Amino acid sequence: MNIQNFSLSEKLVSSSYVRQGLQARRGHEQLVRVLLQQGKCPEEGWSESTVELFLNELAVMDSNNFLGNCGVGEREGRVASGLVAKRHYRLIHGIGRSGDIAAVQPKAAGSSLLNKITNSVVLDVLKFTGVRSVSSCFVVPMATGMSLTLCFLTLRHRRPGARFILWPRIDQKSCFKSMLTAGFEPVVIENVLEGDELRTNLEEVERKIEELGAENFLCVHSTTSCFAPRVPDRLEELAVLCAKHDIPHIVNNAYGMQSSKCMHLIQQGARVGRIDAFVQSLDKNFMVPVGGAIIAGFDENFIKEISKMYPGRASASPSLDVLITLLTLGANGYKKLLAERKELYGHLAQELSALAERHGERLLHTPHNPISLAMSLNRLQTHGTAAVTQLGSMLFTRQVSGARVVPLGVEQTVSGHTFRGFMSHADAYPCPYLNAASAIGITRDDITLCIKRLDKCLKSLSKEACGEKSESGSPAEDVDDLTVRERRELLMSGASVLHLLLQRG
């Protein structure tokens, strides 16, 4: 509806009512105008109606939605299913062109605009979450591991003689495989134990650079967000070493955007030394479906090089998901989620510490890890490794997801490299432990229920070890631990089984 159509409407409906509708329409348009002018995440979130109006306006700018379009090419935005078209708001052409994921498509002005706006809004979010000097970023429709690979492949053209990537150990397969997929040999730097924490071995990093030669390293591949008792790498010191030896530095910031401490480390590293790019996941930081990441950095030209390395066009789904989310939350809504996460981290630490004390264990002291926590399982280990691993199985069957039980002595071979003590980020960590994390979106109820179920599992395992009958042998747990909906489903399933038995006589 433009101004002319509103004027024509006054012939059919009272002009006062039409003017009221026009004012409402202008309210939506004003929000869109500010977004296009500033390119920043709006302070307050938009209503769903405003978001949908904006997306529909973008969609009608793509050629597949032109009323008189006649497509005779191989890619014309045709969609067989109406459900698929609705799912994507009829934005079918994707983003980029064959030579550059950031390029504008002549056939798809709306999708191209979506891409540009999303990158601009995400850049604003990176700045207000702590990395204020970041100069460029783009959303790529790949998860963190493959996005890291894209960065390494781009650096290959700058350092064609390089063979190695220097990597402080973190026991996460996709990080390791991202380097191998790019065709490089990881030089694994074992962490050093300081108290309970596993920290970056800076002396070994420098020794390896001198031993193998700085010119033979493609980059240093460091990590911020990780599972305790490992803590974020010493980014400032690594950045200084990279600047000193003229070695590029790529940071895996997978779920670090939700932590002001991780973002501060990146900002400081770039200030005192060298960080070329940092990569973060969309799903872990913005609560959207898996499949996207943000590649960001401090040199706009290098970030453009990475975007041009992506072969072909790309799916617009991750860009669409994160833009919808940020427009709906607004900057204030996202900041509120970050504040709640930080507050609940303290609550989770208190609850885990109290639980650990009741069972003769302790909360490992890992103050440099702002997201993940770890609780020792020494008493459980006295009954054997099987008891430790059984705890993980019990938690999973009782619908406690995300908790990691890490036993001692696990060996894992990943693409030919054998890691001793796999999952613990060290060859021989002193004790087995359980991980839990306070990540964005967690609630107080999640923590309460997790602690309750973990407590029962530990009691059950302790009684089994003593030869006593367990109180909590049922995967569904006690009835008082279930929601009303869960109780109803259990009753219905029980009634169905009884009905079948009666039918069979």
Side-chain angles (χ1 to χ4, degrees):
M1 292 284 285
N2 55 31
I3 189 66
Q4 185 179 6
N5 288 338
F6 272 107
S7 296
L8 292 172
S9 300
E10 292 181 3
K11 297 179 180 179
L12 304 172
V13 178
S14 169
S15 59
S16 61
Y17 300 157
V18 172
R19 282 196 298 272
Q20 192 175 30
L22 176 59
Q23 288 172 357
R25 169 79 185 203
R26 283 174 174 166
H28 295 294
E29 291 175 347
Q30 176 62 20
L31 293 173
V32 174
R33 186 179 300 112
V34 172
L35 174 66
L36 295 174
Q37 285 174 343
Q38 299 180 353
K40 295 182 177 181
C41 187
E43 286 297 314
E44 299 299 331
W46 292 4
S47 67
E48 288 188 8
S49 59
T50 304
V51 174
E52 289 190 325
L53 177 64
F54 177 51
L55 295 177
N56 287 328
E57 294 280 357
L58 292 179
V60 297
M61 295 170 68
D62 284 2
S63 62
N64 60 293
N65 298 312
F66 292 175
L67 293 178
N69 188 61
C70 174
V72 291
E74 84 290 350
R75 182 189 286 113
E76 296 297 334
R78 301 183 182 104
V79 177
S81 168
L83 284 176
V84 172
K86 287 179 183 178
R87 175 178 175 244
H88 294 275
Y89 284 91
R90 295 176 293 115
L91 292 159
I92 310 302
H93 281 282
I95 57 175
R97 302 186 73 181
S98 58
D100 184 356
I101 195 176
V104 172
Q105 293 186 64
K107 286 183 181 178
S111 293
S112 299
L113 188 54
L114 166 76
N115 190 25
K116 297 290 186 183
I117 292 170
T118 301
N119 292 340
S120 181
V121 168
V122 167
L123 182 66
D124 180 49
V125 176
L126 287 169
K127 289 180 177 180
F128 73 62
T129 51
V131 187
R132 299 199 174 276
S133 61
V134 62
S135 64
S136 183
C137 76
F138 68 98
V139 172
V140 61
M142 302 187 296
T144 309
M146 285 302 295
S147 297
L148 288 165
T149 297
L150 191 64
C151 295
F152 301 144
L153 290 172
T154 305
L155 285 174
R156 179 193 289 275
H157 293 277
R158 291 192 170 192
R159 299 171 73 86
R163 292 176 49 205
F164 308 110
I165 294 179
L166 197 148
W167 180 62
R169 175 177 170 180
I170 175 170
D171 289 354
Q172 212 262 349
K173 292 180 184 178
S174 65
C175 307
F176 190 70
K177 294 171 82 171
S178 70
M179 298 178 282
L180 297 174
T181 302
F184 294 94
E185 181 181 334
V187 175
V188 182
I189 304 296
E190 292 294 334
N191 300 300
V192 291
L193 187 64
E194 297 180 9
D196 289 332
E197 293 183 327
L198 290 166
R199 306 210 67 185
T200 314
N201 189 338
L202 293 170
E203 290 181 3
E204 182 66 9
V205 168
E206 189 137 36
R207 192 184 73 79
K208 279 295 181 183
I209 292 173
E210 292 173 0
E211 176 189 329
L212 298 173
E215 70 281 1
N216 293 314
F217 282 97
L218 180 82
C219 66
V220 169
H221 176 194
S222 63
T223 305
T224 55
S225 54
C226 54
F227 296 117
R230 196 193 190 281
V231 299
D233 281 320
R234 298 181 186 270
L235 244 60
E236 291 183 49
E237 294 90 336
L238 287 174
V240 169
L241 283 174
C242 288
K244 174 185 173 182
H245 294 284
D246 192 27
I247 299 174
H249 186 187
I250 305 296
V251 180
N252 174 10
N253 188 44
Y255 48 99
M257 273 191 75
Q258 59 194 278
S259 163
S260 57
K261 183 176 288 187
C262 289
M263 298 299 273
H264 176 73
L265 286 173
I266 294 171
Q267 176 63 34
Q268 287 297 101
R271 186 182 66 82
V272 302
R274 178 172 181 174
I275 292 178
D276 294 74
F278 56 103
V279 179
Q280 36 275 306
S281 164
L282 287 184
D283 62 282
K284 295 185 184 78
N285 293 294
F286 296 103
M287 297 185 288
V288 295
V290 173
I294 303 165
I295 299 177
F298 306 91
D299 178 355
E300 190 171 348
N301 291 328
F302 179 57
I303 301 303
K304 283 182 178 178
E305 278 185 51
I306 300 174
S307 72
K308 289 179 179 179
M309 181 60 63
Y310 187 97
R313 288 171 174 79
S315 169
S317 291
S319 296
L320 182 60
D321 290 340
V322 74
L323 181 62
I324 290 173
T325 300
L326 288 173
L327 292 179
T328 303
L329 287 173
N332 290 337
Y334 189 64
K335 290 174 184 177
K336 182 181 177 184
L337 286 173
L338 298 183
E340 289 173 353
R341 184 213 69 79
K342 193 171 184 178
E343 179 187 344
L344 288 172
Y345 172 85
H347 177 60
L348 176 61
Q350 289 177 354
E351 292 295 308
L352 266 182
S353 180
L355 175 69
E357 190 175 342
R358 290 199 298 272
H359 290 275
E361 302 289 356
R362 67 186 183 90
L363 184 69
L364 301 183
H365 185 60
T366 56
H368 290 97
N369 193 316
I371 299 173
S372 178
L373 295 160
M375 183 186 91
S376 70
L377 296 174
N378 282 317
R379 290 190 66 179
L380 211 53
Q381 180 65 34
T382 61
H383 306 307
T385 300
V388 176
T389 56
Q390 187 182 351
L391 174 62
S393 300
M394 291 175 73
L395 289 171
F396 183 77
T397 56
R398 285 157 179 78
Q399 300 177 20
V400 178
S401 60
R404 297 169 73 250
V405 171
V406 180
L408 296 175
V410 175
E411 281 199 3
Q412 177 80 48
T413 300
V414 183
S415 300
H417 184 95
T418 300
F419 292 90
R420 290 190 298 140
F422 189 73
M423 291 172 61
S424 67
H425 321 288
D427 284 349
Y429 193 75
C431 68
Y433 57 86
L434 175 139
N435 278 131
S438 176
I440 190 168
I442 192 172
T443 66
R444 193 169 287 267
D445 287 344
D446 288 330
I447 294 171
T448 300
L449 199 53
C450 168
I451 296 297
K452 185 175 183 180
R453 292 178 179 177
L454 176 56
D455 186 34
K456 289 188 177 183
C457 288
L458 289 170
K459 286 178 180 176
S460 174
L461 286 170
S462 178
K463 289 187 176 183
E464 284 180 16
C466 297
E468 299 178 27
K469 189 175 179 181
S470 168
E471 285 182 358
S472 182
S474 168
E477 284 225 90
D478 297 339
V479 173
D480 67 343
D481 206 21
L482 301 175
T483 65
V484 173
R485 184 173 63 84
E486 288 172 330
R487 293 182 201 180
R488 188 184 300 118
E489 288 175 354
L490 280 174
L491 288 170
M492 290 175 67
S493 62
S496 299
V497 171
L498 179 62
H499 180 66
L500 285 171
L501 290 172
L502 291 171
Q503 279 188 326
R504 293 181 180 181

